[in-house]
Amino acid sequence: MNRKSFLTSFWGLLLPLVAVAQVNMTFNLGLRGPLIDDHFYGIFFEELSHSGEGGLYAELIQNRSFEDNGSTAAHWYAVGGAQMRLTTDNMMNSVQQHALLVETTGAGQGVRNEGFWGISTVAGTTYKLSFWIRTDENWQGTVTARLVDNRRAEIGQTEITVDASTTWKQYTAEVTATSTDASGCFDLIFGSEVKATIDMVSLFPPTFNDRENGMRKDIGQMLADIKPKFLRFPGGCYVEGVWSRDLNSECRYLWKNSVGPQEGMWQTSAWAMTGLTTIRTSVNIFRKHST
């Protein structure tokens, strides 16, 4: 069959289908449809492309509890010749499965976190830092928390005096950015030689309604301005969670496990833990705007 004969046969078969598919529609623009009650308008949350962790949830450190990957400390890098690796020894509780062992040979060495596509800082803004640390032998020294820009120049730092031992201890501090940068990083730099284990490293900007462990101010305000009548959380496939072969759900959202300190919350992955805190900090916000 030549090309002309083929095209003739093809259109001959297609035209009856096109004729059958034709539909006539009539619109009456003057006729109002049924009224929909305001309580039917709401929003729902689904964790897509870091919309929760790294988005709505204000935490700036990615993989803050070292659970994103069981073999390597994803999103963390050694600084100044330090050595680092994941460890499962002497965890702070049964919930935490991994921590980061850091070894330095002198001052100026430590670890760096890249955040979510970089750590965004605004000049003059103060960020709240917390981290847990322990050592196999008693160690007294300093840890410098440092914000750096995309060229790795320092744009804010604070020095914390640490008295570490075999018992896990939490330290908190504040660091103020001296420059605005959308794609910086965060460093923890040790002041001397040390072999230390760190866990639950957290850095928070000011949050929506100044709530502890809360949501980003800009996103939280935009959602509140919608004045939704309801919030569905979680959305999509996260309702049922990830199921193992024996049909036991391993990481669906269980609100009871979101009650208590962050370092003691149930988790099988970082998004599960941050997702739980997202719902905990979200409920009152949207309930306030539903009246």
Side-chain angles (χ1 to χ4, degrees):
M1 180 184 295
N2 59 36
R3 184 170 180 273
K4 182 176 180 180
S5 299
F6 171 78
L7 290 176
T8 301
S9 300
F10 175 78
W11 286 112
L13 293 171
L14 185 61
L15 286 175
L17 296 177
V18 174
V20 172
Q22 290 180 346
V23 176
N24 293 322
M25 300 182 66
T26 301
F27 295 91
N28 185 347
L29 301 181
L31 179 63
R32 181 183 176 88
L35 294 177
I36 299 176
D37 191 279
D38 288 343
H39 286 85
F40 283 88
Y41 291 94
I43 57 179
F44 81 95
F45 171 86
E46 184 169 3
E47 176 66 87
L48 294 172
S49 301
H50 289 295
S51 57
E53 183 189 22
L56 179 63
Y57 187 56
E59 175 66 73
L60 295 174
I61 302 297
Q62 184 164 192
N63 192 20
R64 66 181 180 182
S65 62
F66 308 103
E67 306 297 339
D68 280 12
N69 188 308
S71 59
T72 185
H75 313 293
W76 289 88
Y77 304 92
V79 175
Q83 299 293 316
M84 70 175 201
R85 63 177 175 85
L86 291 181
T87 179
T88 58
D89 296 333
N90 300 320
M91 295 295 95
M92 68 172 69
N93 54 46
S94 60
V95 171
Q96 299 297 326
Q97 300 298 307
H98 301 89
L100 187 66
L101 177 62
V102 183
E103 296 184 63
T104 69
T105 57
Q109 300 179 7
V111 291
R112 170 171 294 161
N113 186 267
E114 64 182 357
F116 298 89
W117 304 285
I119 289 180
S120 179
T121 58
V122 178
T125 299
T126 298
Y127 300 83
K128 293 183 178 181
L129 164 71
S130 69
F131 64 92
W132 290 77
I133 187 171
R134 72 165 187 85
T135 52
D136 291 334
E137 299 180 356
N138 292 344
W139 178 76
Q140 293 181 334
T142 60
V143 176
T144 299
R146 186 171 69 184
L147 297 171
V148 297
D149 63 16
N150 58 7
R151 296 182 179 181
R152 304 304 178 251
E154 183 181 295
I155 56 172
Q157 65 93 19
T158 187
E159 187 176 273
I160 304 107
T161 300
V162 172
D163 185 3
S165 67
T166 56
T167 301
W168 283 99
K169 186 182 296 185
Q170 184 184 33
Y171 287 87
T172 61
E174 294 184 344
V175 54
T176 301
T178 59
S179 181
T180 297
D181 192 286
S183 55
C185 290
F186 173 77
D187 297 347
L188 283 178
I189 305 298
F190 293 86
S192 62
E193 180 180 357
V194 67
K195 182 178 180 180
T197 304
I198 60 174
D199 205 351
M200 285 299 295
V201 183
S202 177
L203 186 68
F204 262 83
T207 59
F208 180 64
N209 285 351
D210 297 320
R211 286 191 170 91
E212 193 76 18
N213 189 47
M215 300 189 299
R216 272 178 49 173
K217 294 184 72 172
D218 54 349
I219 298 179
Q221 188 60 59
M222 285 189 289
L223 294 176
D225 288 343
I226 298 174
K227 295 182 174 56
K229 296 300 182 181
F230 65 86
L231 165 67
R232 178 193 173 190
F233 183 98
C237 59
Y238 281 177
V239 172
E240 67 269 16
V242 177
W243 293 79
S244 60
R245 292 181 179 178
D246 59 2
L247 298 182
N248 291 320
S249 180
E250 296 178 338
C251 53
R252 60 187 173 91
Y253 289 108
L254 302 171
W255 71 267
K256 292 181 180 180
N257 294 328
S258 69
V259 177
Q262 288 293 294
E263 66 276 5
M265 286 175 55
W266 166 89
Q267 62 178 331
T268 54
S269 64
W271 65 259
M273 182 168 65
T274 53
L276 287 165
T277 57
T278 299
I279 184 172
R280 184 171 62 182
T281 55
S282 300
V283 169
N284 288 334
I285 292 174
F286 294 104
R287 183 166 56 190
K288 173 183 176 182
H289 291 279
S290 66
T291 57

